[in-house]
Amino acid sequence: SEKYWNVLGVNIPDIFTNDPALLADYIVYFDTRADDVFVVSYPKSGTTWVQEIVWQIYNEGAISSEKQIYRFPFLEDTACNMSEHMQIDFKALPSPRLIKSHLTYSTTPRSANKDDQCKYIYVARNPKDVAVSYFHFTEHWKKEGNGYNGPWEFFSKLFIEGNVGWNFWNDHVLGWWKQKDDPNVLFLKYEDLHKDLPSNVRRIANFLNKTLSDELINRIAEQCSFKGMKKNEISYKFESEEKTSPYLRKGVVGGWKSYFTPELNERFEKEVMEKIKGTGLEFDFEA
Ligand code: PPS
């Protein structure tokens, strides 16, 4: 089964670093810059998707075959790695830095100075589809010797109990949901992007103070559709020889229905959905 470090209270897969204390320090002392843009999420919620939209907004709709992990590095995976994963020196990156993270609100780096805050785009997805997507993703970690290799029935329990990387879904999402009205936070939902991608590309561009023509908005939406991103799949693969990218699997809303038994659904409703009741946060569970 998967192995984690506890880094600032967050379960971080042990393949990301071999020095968890150093990683904790790196995160705590990370100096944000006012023009940094973080794309933050609980895993499997549409991170890669929103990252690509943000990258294209900053690059006039260009399509790059360079791996996304280099264009838009993943903080806790690449910050202090002394194992075989690559390492990125965030201090050496030119501005504006585009940074991916799955950290919780309280652990995500931010400036102590109120007038100097960078931007955070958070993306959330209905947790039933998240759980299924997460289960499939463990296949890829398995190859690195860290992956979970049991059945879905058991993985779904680990997910409900928060015994997976980045802990409980509900704590993560609610931590960020509480900050959704902060001027430097944009809270997005995967299902909304599905419903109307061009309007959401515009929303993201506005949030980033970028004025884009309608033509460019529509082109970015087209290029960042599931089909559009599949055309440039190489950019989202770990290894170029992989058949498909683990970040582009199905890309649908409602896939959970063929995985959830009535019993599992009941437990999920009681233990996961119950905790977001009354918070105003709601999700679509079908397209
Ligand atoms: S990760 O590992 O946490 O960064 O993964 P993340 O990118 O957050 O989530 C991967 C899921 O997002 C789907 N995806 C998309 N859906 C629709 N449109 C586009 N363009 C798109 N790009 C990625 C991807 O297929 C994963 O979901 P599942 O349900 O597994 O297909």
Side-chain angles (χ1 to χ4, degrees):
S1 138
E2 280 183 76
K3 298 176 223 76
Y4 306 103
W5 297 118
N6 177 334
V7 175
L8 307 169
V10 181
N11 285 345
I12 300 286
D14 69 350
I15 47 171
F16 284 11
T17 183
N18 51 17
D19 192 339
L22 186 68
L23 179 57
D25 272 3
Y26 198 98
I27 292 169
V28 168
Y29 296 107
F30 189 94
D31 270 324
T32 59
R33 301 178 193 157
D35 56 2
D36 284 344
V37 178
F38 280 79
V39 169
V40 194
S41 59
Y42 188 80
K44 316 322 292 178
S45 303
T47 333
T48 312
W49 193 3
V50 173
Q51 283 176 273
E52 191 54 42
I53 294 168
V54 170
W55 192 87
Q56 291 196 14
I57 288 173
Y58 273 87
N59 290 276
E60 286 85 40
I63 296 176
S64 174
S65 59
E66 189 190 354
K67 294 220 184 306
Q68 193 190 48
I69 186 89
Y70 292 104
R71 296 184 278 127
F72 212 127
F74 181 7
L75 179 60
E76 53 273 39
D77 185 14
T78 55
C80 4
N81 209 301
M82 282 143 23
S83 52
E84 63 280 14
H85 273 203
M86 61 164 190
Q87 186 162 354
I88 283 183
D89 180 3
F90 285 84
K91 286 191 199 80
L93 293 179
S95 292
R97 296 182 299 188
L98 306 178
I99 303 168
K100 163 183 173 175
S101 177
H102 289 316
L103 288 172
T104 55
Y105 179 76
S106 59
T107 54
T108 299
R110 78 179 53 83
S111 167
N113 181 351
K114 266 202 160 210
D115 306 320
D116 206 21
Q117 298 288 344
C118 66
K119 292 191 164 136
Y120 303 90
I121 302 177
Y122 187 82
V123 56
R125 183 182 189 184
N126 89 62
K128 298 182 186 177
D129 282 332
V130 169
V132 171
S133 181
Y134 211 156
F135 169 67
H136 285 285
F137 194 70
T138 58
E139 285 287 309
H140 298 273
W141 280 345
K142 197 165 17 184
K143 290 188 205 131
E144 301 190 59
N146 170 276
Y148 167 79
N149 57 21
W152 157 248
E153 288 66 31
F154 190 64
F155 182 84
S156 61
K157 292 189 174 69
L158 293 176
F159 182 90
I160 292 172
E161 291 159 8
N163 287 319
V164 291
W166 295 275
N167 314 41
F168 282 105
W169 174 84
N170 24 280
D171 288 349
H172 202 286
V173 173
L174 285 181
W176 280 93
W177 177 246
K178 286 191 193 116
Q179 311 298 326
K180 69 176 192 321
D181 298 324
D182 291 1
N184 63 333
V185 172
L186 178 67
F187 192 102
L188 300 172
K189 287 192 253 179
Y190 180 95
E191 294 76 17
D192 293 344
L193 266 65
H194 243 276
K195 253 187 255 161
D196 184 353
L197 194 49
S199 324
N200 280 284
V201 172
R202 184 178 301 286
R203 242 184 112 192
I204 297 170
N206 288 345
F207 175 71
L208 298 170
N209 300 322
K210 300 278 181 197
T211 315
L212 268 48
S213 68
D214 287 347
E215 186 278 324
L216 187 49
I217 298 267
N218 290 327
R219 187 153 58 79
I220 292 176
E222 184 72 36
Q223 292 172 175
C224 293
S225 66
F226 191 76
K227 255 197 188 155
M229 282 173 62
K230 271 277 180 192
K231 284 191 195 149
N232 191 28
E233 192 154 22
I234 184 111
S235 182
Y236 317 105
K237 287 182 185 171
F238 288 129
E239 310 283 349
S240 303
E241 54 278 10
E242 264 176 337
K243 263 213 198 105
T244 56
S245 160
Y247 297 99
L248 299 172
R249 193 185 59 94
K250 284 244 153 92
V252 300
V253 178
W256 63 273
K257 287 186 182 163
S258 33
Y259 289 80
F260 277 59
T261 60
E263 294 74 36
L264 174 59
N265 201 39
E266 200 178 308
R267 182 167 178 208
F268 215 87
E269 288 292 330
K270 238 190 243 148
E271 296 181 38
V272 181
M273 299 316 296
E274 192 62 36
K275 290 190 184 118
I276 66 164
K277 272 212 185 112
T279 61
L281 179 58
E282 282 172 10
F283 289 94
D284 293 334
F285 287 89
E286 44 197 303

